[in-house]
Amino acid sequence: MKQKTSIPNLSNSNTNAYNGRMEWNRTKSMDNAIHQFRTAVLITNVKVIEQILKDMHNISPGHIERLLPLLIDRSSAEPTKEALMTAICIGSRPLVEFILSLFMEYPGEERNGCRKSKSFPAHMTPLMLACICNNFSVVQCLLLRKHYMQLPHRPDCSCDECSRSAHCMANSIILLDTYRAISSAPFLWLACTDPLLAAFNLAIDLQVCEEMEKEHKVAYNDLRHNVMIFAVKIAEQCWTAEEINVLLSRKVGSPLADCELPFPRIQLALKSHMKPFLSSLSVQATIEGHWHGRWTDIGKSKFQDLSRKFRHFLCYPILALFHIISAGFYIETFKYPLARYTSRLASYILFLIILIFIRFFGRTGERSSERSLLNSYLRLILESYVYLYVYGLAVTHYIEFASKGLIRFYSAWWRWFDLILIWLFSGSFFCFIMTAVTISQDGLKQLHRRHWVYYDFSIIYDIYFGAASVMALWRILYYFQLQRYIGSTIVSIIKNI
């Protein structure tokens, strides 16, 4: 009497959580069972085939009834391919392994879809179907057998191949099914060497598809949401702060300009609009820790917090000078983002105070007839500070522009705001110089305004400087957005404008 073959149950692996790399070591008894199954199929022994299928777990009589005619039909590879696709839908890895052994006579056909099937579209490959079914064990099995998936071109691709192909509903469905497969958790976990980077890049592609493929907009939005949740799950796998730091500090896939940042993956997440990932608890805790630096006891002592703010708010010119002269050896607190933010806010408030002072004590009343802008050394010093500050801002603007590139740098609207601000101050500086040159030539320091020409550089200076001062006052909202209690209010006001 023939001994009954015991086949391990792996059919529930697609519903359980993925706890690492899945392993399935085939034993000698399993190899014997596969050989017995293959021999029975080749000689069309229906009873043996049916008995082997019954011995498998979670294979219902309806499944056996559907599989039997497909297995014994060896006229071509098409019935066997449809049987493989059916086994993938059932979700049994042992059954998939058994059917894959039947492709020895049809090398390479196991990686292709069914061309003549009424149940499966021709573009649907076994790997695509396994990914869509979210079956980790079957996906691993197919990947180990060198199955692959051709990555799709985005709808905005302008290559020769995409230019020749017509945009039709069939191509849209193929594109959607392909993205459904590569957006699945099994594919991202098992087929990608860097799942987090793959999720970021995939989120960008899905956003483009959502914008251009209007007929499948909802489907692409759901896929993008799933990819975001997948990225959050990756962050949740990090149990310690050190692990999340390693995850966020990886430089692979980041532009060269972002590789110098402590967490390049944060920039990638911002670029791909991965809000759930950025708002996850572990990522937020890491960013907060980096923001505070070594000031880990922020909020515990109000006196200590006040003293730190006092040092970097009121004493920042002296502290910054020592920090620059010592090349960062002294006053190491400037290495903390929170300390730098406090000092930058202090310097900008001083800049605004000087602007207000210049405008308030400008040419008003009896001094309205003065054409000269250099009426005192104090005015010269204040004007010099303003333009030095603005051109320092321009240098910072240029350095970031050179490192990030034109399109990426100016994709943020506030870059244009800064550019206009710098342009207005540059115009006022030019008029400031030209006013001094004009007065030195004609010698008219005092002249009633009714005799001024409309193109007088002194008048144009007031226009440029006044507009720049108004924009500089608006720019203070940049700093207030980082304040916890008033930042959300500022953002809401900006959205409602």
Side-chain angles (χ1 to χ4, degrees):
M1 186 175 180
K2 188 175 292 185
Q3 186 178 1
K4 187 176 180 180
T5 305
S6 177
I7 300 175
N9 179 19
L10 295 179
S11 59
N12 293 330
S13 59
N14 60 328
T15 58
N16 296 333
Y18 180 61
N19 297 321
R21 182 180 178 183
M22 303 186 67
E23 296 288 350
W24 184 45
N25 298 319
R26 286 170 49 172
T27 60
K28 184 177 292 186
S29 61
M30 178 63 68
D31 292 337
N32 293 334
I34 292 176
H35 178 71
Q36 180 185 356
F37 175 78
R38 171 177 164 76
T39 303
V41 171
L42 293 178
I43 64 176
T44 321
N45 192 337
V46 178
K47 291 185 178 180
V48 176
I49 298 173
E50 187 175 1
Q51 184 61 41
I52 293 176
L53 293 178
K54 287 181 180 179
D55 292 341
M56 293 186 182
H57 298 276
N58 295 339
I59 305 297
S60 65
H63 295 153
I64 297 175
E65 183 180 355
R66 174 174 172 78
L67 287 171
L68 274 177
L70 297 174
L71 293 174
I72 62 178
D73 187 358
R74 303 290 292 174
S75 59
S76 66
E78 294 302 315
T80 309
K81 287 195 290 186
E82 187 167 353
L84 175 61
M85 302 289 276
T86 304
I88 293 174
C89 291
I90 294 173
S92 173
R93 175 167 179 174
L95 180 59
V96 172
E97 292 271 5
F98 276 51
I99 297 177
L100 285 173
S101 66
L102 304 177
F103 284 94
M104 191 175 298
E105 290 78 18
Y106 310 105
E109 287 293 330
E110 66 178 82
R111 302 182 181 91
N112 302 326
C114 303
R115 291 190 293 269
K116 301 178 182 179
S117 174
K118 297 181 180 179
S119 303
F120 304 99
H123 66 271
M124 185 68 65
T125 63
L127 181 58
M128 288 177 61
L129 183 61
C131 291
I132 293 174
C133 293
N134 203 35
N135 194 314
F136 279 91
S137 59
V138 175
V139 170
Q140 184 194 35
C141 169
L142 297 176
L143 290 175
L144 291 175
R145 293 181 66 91
K146 308 301 181 182
H147 283 236
Y148 62 91
M149 198 181 308
Q150 195 72 29
L151 296 181
H153 292 209
R154 294 193 327 193
D156 60 344
C157 180
S158 57
C159 67
D160 295 337
E161 181 181 353
C162 295
S163 301
R164 289 193 299 266
S165 62
H167 181 75
C168 58
M169 184 59 67
N171 291 337
S172 297
I173 294 176
I174 294 174
L175 183 66
L176 176 61
D177 286 340
T178 307
Y179 272 113
R180 286 174 61 196
I182 64 179
S183 301
S184 64
F187 185 84
L188 293 174
W189 275 121
L190 301 175
C192 302
T193 56
D194 194 337
L196 186 60
L197 178 61
F200 289 161
N201 294 331
L202 187 56
I204 298 175
D205 293 349
L206 291 174
Q207 186 176 8
V208 174
C209 294
E210 183 181 350
E211 295 173 355
M212 301 190 67
E213 297 286 330
K214 300 296 183 182
E215 59 273 12
H216 302 298
K217 181 177 181 179
V218 177
Y220 282 114
N221 184 45
D222 293 339
L223 292 178
R224 187 165 175 267
H225 177 73
N226 294 337
V227 171
M228 290 183 179
I229 299 302
F230 174 81
V232 174
K233 291 181 179 179
I234 293 179
E236 291 175 351
Q237 299 300 317
C238 301
W239 287 13
T240 62
E242 183 179 357
E243 291 179 355
I244 193 68
N245 287 339
V246 172
L247 179 68
L248 298 178
S249 60
R250 293 202 64 186
K251 300 179 181 180
V252 179
S254 299
L256 184 61
D258 294 339
C259 290
E260 297 181 358
L261 300 175
F263 301 122
R265 288 293 166 93
I266 295 294
Q267 292 294 328
L268 289 177
L270 290 171
K271 182 181 178 181
S272 54
H273 304 288
M274 303 289 281
K275 294 181 180 179
F277 176 80
L278 293 170
S279 60
S280 61
L281 183 60
S282 56
V283 175
Q284 286 290 311
T286 302
I287 296 176
E288 183 181 9
H290 177 71
W291 173 256
H292 290 160
R294 294 185 181 179
W295 291 349
T296 56
D297 54 350
I298 289 288
K300 295 182 179 180
S301 174
K302 293 184 178 180
F303 177 77
Q304 188 177 24
D305 295 344
L306 184 62
S307 64
R308 288 169 175 170
K309 292 180 180 179
F310 175 81
R311 287 177 56 198
H312 283 274
F313 198 88
L314 298 180
C315 305
Y316 87 90
I318 302 174
L319 298 179
L321 182 62
F322 276 106
H323 182 75
I324 294 172
I325 294 176
S326 64
F329 185 77
Y330 294 109
I331 320 298
E332 294 185 357
T333 53
F334 274 106
K335 298 179 181 179
Y336 310 155
L338 177 58
R340 293 198 302 270
Y341 162 76
T342 304
S343 295
R344 284 189 178 184
L345 177 60
S347 65
Y348 195 76
I349 291 177
L350 177 61
F351 171 72
L352 292 181
I353 292 174
I354 293 176
L355 286 180
I356 295 173
F357 181 85
I358 292 175
R359 297 300 299 170
F360 185 77
F361 295 99
R363 295 174 295 180
T364 58
E366 297 179 355
R367 299 174 54 191
S368 60
S369 61
E370 293 182 0
R371 292 179 65 205
S372 175
L373 300 173
L374 298 175
N375 48 22
S376 65
Y377 288 108
L378 178 61
R379 175 68 180 267
L380 178 62
I381 293 173
L382 295 180
E383 291 270 1
S384 301
Y385 179 85
V386 167
Y387 293 123
L388 284 175
Y389 187 94
V390 171
Y391 284 111
L393 181 65
V395 170
T396 305
H397 190 90
Y398 173 76
I399 292 174
E400 294 184 6
F401 165 76
S403 61
K404 295 184 178 180
L406 177 64
I407 298 177
R408 186 182 173 198
F409 182 73
Y410 285 111
S411 60
W413 65 268
W414 57 83
R415 309 290 189 188
W416 294 98
F417 186 93
D418 288 344
L419 183 63
I420 296 173
L421 179 67
I422 295 171
W423 174 74
L424 288 175
F425 273 111
S426 300
S428 67
F429 178 72
F430 174 77
C431 294
F432 182 86
I433 299 297
M434 293 305 297
T435 300
V437 173
T438 303
I439 292 176
S440 65
Q441 290 179 351
D442 57 27
L444 297 176
K445 293 185 178 181
Q446 297 284 339
L447 183 65
H448 198 278
R449 293 216 172 199
R450 71 178 62 179
H451 302 297
W452 290 14
V453 293
Y454 66 90
Y455 52 85
D456 193 292
F457 283 108
S458 185
I459 297 177
I460 301 175
Y461 164 83
D462 287 336
I463 297 173
Y464 272 100
F465 195 84
S469 299
V470 172
M471 292 193 67
L473 288 172
W474 275 97
R475 195 176 183 273
I476 194 66
L477 298 178
Y478 289 1
Y479 297 92
F480 286 164
Q481 288 185 36
L482 296 178
Q483 296 295 325
R484 179 179 180 182
Y485 298 103
I486 63 177
S488 57
T489 306
I490 296 298
V491 173
S492 300
I493 292 174
I494 293 176
K495 288 185 177 180
N496 292 327
I497 291 178

